[in-house]
Amino acid sequence: MNRSFHTLPSAGGLWTALRLAPDATAPGSPALDDAVILIEDGHISFVGPRDQLPMLKLGTPEHDGGQALVTPGLIDCHTHLVYGGQRANEFAMRLGGATYEDVAKAGGGIVSSVKATRAASEDELFALAAPRLQALLNEGVCALEIKSGYGLNLETERKQLRVARRVGEAFGVTVKTTFLGAHALPPEFAGRSRAYIEGVCEDMMPALAAEGLIDAVDVFCETIGFSLTETEQVFQAAQRLGLPVKLHAEQLSDMGGSALAARYNALSCDHIEHLSADGIAAMKASGTVAVLLPGAYYFLRDTHLPPIQALREAGVPMAVATDHNPGTSPALSLLLMLNMASTLFRLTVPEAMAGVTHHAAHALGLQQTHGRIAVGMPANFVLWPLGELAELVYWLGQRPACRVVRQGRIAVQPEVL
């Protein structure tokens, strides 16, 4: 693991010789050459052309940006980063022709991850999550969500969420925790989903919320997950606790989950390959973000595309995330997801970039502090050794040697990548 975040050098002072990338949420906005960024007390106090810079305080440090292309810090708004074990054997089984049922009978599927996560200590889970997180941070991620959902009992869900808090603190990165107790039915509750959901709502969620471990609540609403009635029961419990909701929605079928989530002003609906026109209209009305997960689409060899054009025409904001998890998207590159979102889903470069900055911030309720380079915001930005913004989406499997300013400190330097 890297040295403590708090021992990293301060990024305070004036950053010069920057090429500020166009605002991804304002199509047609120009790039800004010879830009500067002034950081004071970890926050941006000026950003703009050098010739408009106010008079500096005597002794203000300067950092040469070397004509780098600068974007906001990236945001991975959907991950399952904390878990035990891995499921490469299941991937090999499926390649050999095994069905989902075959894998399940062999002890695979989510049951395998639950077993491994329950067996791991908190320190072991931290040690497993740390290098996964570092891989994301090395590509410019400055904020992310981490879900629970591989515990499916109070003790292990708590363990996952505690580790999510710990890695955020240790690495100096904004982590939003999401309670996904309603991810799957644990083996000990086979055939008793109603009893399990009651436990999620009446025992697990209140206890974990009281400990300050939950920022949002999620449900896997699907034919192989939980019903609309069960999902609404979880949403009502979250509402009583003052917690925002989000939803794994319409991944495998149109359950109408997105419209339900929108009625509860959900932050986001994620996957949404089978999203209907009614769901789109409901999300538009509630301001709910559509989170696209091309890694899972690719890994599962799906062929049913999300309704990108309909979302675009309706003006529903679209975010892009890795969905890092051991079963359906073992991806640890948000830059790769940019390329996949563009090639598989036909997002434009501005749409893809907005998807991992401003719209991703909205999906986590972080739009006031992340996703843009603006006065008053914490200093989270990335200096890329690239000629134009399209290169971030264009390069496939190449990680540019970027510099990352995260929470007002120089968190990544090319020479230590």
Side-chain angles (χ1 to χ4, degrees):
M1 180 178 152
N2 282 3
R3 58 184 169 144
S4 168
F5 174 77
H6 300 291
T7 68
L8 294 174
S10 169
L14 183 67
W15 288 75
T16 64
L18 305 175
R19 293 179 297 116
L20 202 60
D23 184 348
T25 62
S29 66
L32 180 60
D33 292 330
D34 197 25
V36 297
I37 298 174
L38 182 62
I39 301 174
E40 297 178 298
D41 298 323
H43 287 68
I44 296 170
S45 59
F46 177 83
V47 55
R50 175 142 199 167
D51 60 11
Q52 295 179 19
L53 178 68
M55 185 174 294
L56 297 175
K57 296 177 184 176
L58 189 63
T60 297
E62 288 203 14
H63 307 268
D64 184 359
Q67 298 301 315
L69 180 71
V70 180
T71 69
L74 307 187
I75 300 167
D76 194 350
C77 64
H78 182 132
T79 86
H80 305 251
L81 206 70
V82 177
Y83 58 86
Q86 45 82 15
R87 284 153 60 185
N89 62 319
E90 296 176 25
F91 178 61
M93 288 175 66
R94 289 198 301 271
L95 292 177
T99 65
Y100 183 87
E101 185 178 11
D102 295 332
V103 171
K105 285 180 178 178
I110 192 172
V111 174
S112 172
S113 293
V114 169
K115 183 178 179 181
T117 305
R118 288 179 175 181
S121 70
E122 186 175 314
D123 286 343
E124 287 169 338
L125 289 175
F126 181 92
L128 290 168
R132 298 169 191 151
L133 177 59
Q134 189 64 65
L136 294 173
L137 301 183
N138 285 347
E139 286 192 347
V141 168
C142 290
L144 71 156
E145 180 216 41
I146 300 178
K147 300 178 189 290
S148 66
Y150 288 119
L152 308 185
N153 61 30
L154 177 57
E155 176 188 0
T156 316
E157 292 289 303
R158 176 186 286 123
K159 191 166 54 177
Q160 283 190 275
L161 293 167
R162 282 174 56 86
V163 171
R165 289 279 193 241
R166 281 180 60 188
V167 294
E169 192 174 318
F171 285 83
V173 60
T174 300
V175 170
K176 284 290 190 177
T177 58
T178 296
F179 172 61
L180 184 55
H183 191 194
L185 198 61
E188 62 270 24
F189 279 86
R192 298 189 296 129
S193 65
R194 180 181 299 179
Y196 179 66
I197 288 296
E198 287 177 358
V200 166
C201 296
E202 297 172 13
D203 299 324
M204 279 195 255
M205 199 190 310
L208 297 171
E211 294 169 28
L213 292 174
I214 303 177
D215 295 322
V217 174
D218 195 355
V219 180
F220 181 41
C221 180
E222 192 50 77
T223 52
I224 62 171
F226 294 96
S227 69
L228 278 176
T229 299
E230 291 164 333
T231 298
E232 185 161 25
Q233 192 175 342
V234 175
F235 283 180
Q236 288 171 345
Q239 191 175 62
R240 288 193 296 271
L241 293 167
L243 295 168
V245 300
K246 43 182 38 197
L247 191 65
H248 280 64
E250 274 70 84
Q251 181 183 9
L252 306 174
S253 62
D254 181 14
M255 292 272 291
S258 296
L260 171 66
R263 290 205 301 272
Y264 285 83
N265 296 308
L267 291 170
S268 69
C269 290
D270 304 31
H271 287 290
I272 49 95
E273 282 85 350
H274 293 262
L275 181 63
S276 68
D278 288 344
I280 292 172
M283 291 173 64
K284 169 63 175 176
S286 64
T288 298
V289 177
V291 178
L292 307 174
L293 303 173
Y297 179 91
Y298 165 83
F299 201 74
L300 292 172
R301 293 183 286 184
D302 201 349
T303 57
H304 197 290
L305 286 165
I308 300 298
Q309 186 58 31
L311 288 164
R312 185 182 284 138
E313 291 173 356
V316 174
M318 293 180 284
V320 177
T322 62
D323 188 20
H324 175 81
N325 75 81
T328 61
S329 186
L332 284 168
S333 172
L334 193 55
L335 295 183
L336 179 59
M337 297 305 104
L338 283 178
N339 182 277
M340 285 187 174
S342 297
T343 55
L344 298 176
F345 297 164
R346 304 295 190 267
L347 262 61
T348 66
V349 169
E351 286 173 335
M353 289 306 302
V356 295
T357 53
H358 188 59
H359 294 331
H362 270 267
L364 297 181
L366 289 173
Q367 61 270 25
Q368 300 304 318
T369 56
H370 290 72
R372 279 184 166 157
I373 300 174
V375 172
M377 284 191 167
N380 292 297
F381 55 86
V382 189
L383 288 75
W384 305 95
L386 302 172
E388 58 181 301
L389 191 61
E391 288 189 71
L392 274 182
V393 182
Y394 162 79
W395 290 111
L396 190 64
Q398 172 179 307
R399 187 176 73 200
C402 60
R403 279 172 97 181
V404 181
V405 172
R406 192 170 70 245
Q407 293 189 5
R409 293 184 181 272
I410 303 173
V412 176
Q413 293 267 39
E415 61 267 24
V416 297
L417 288 178

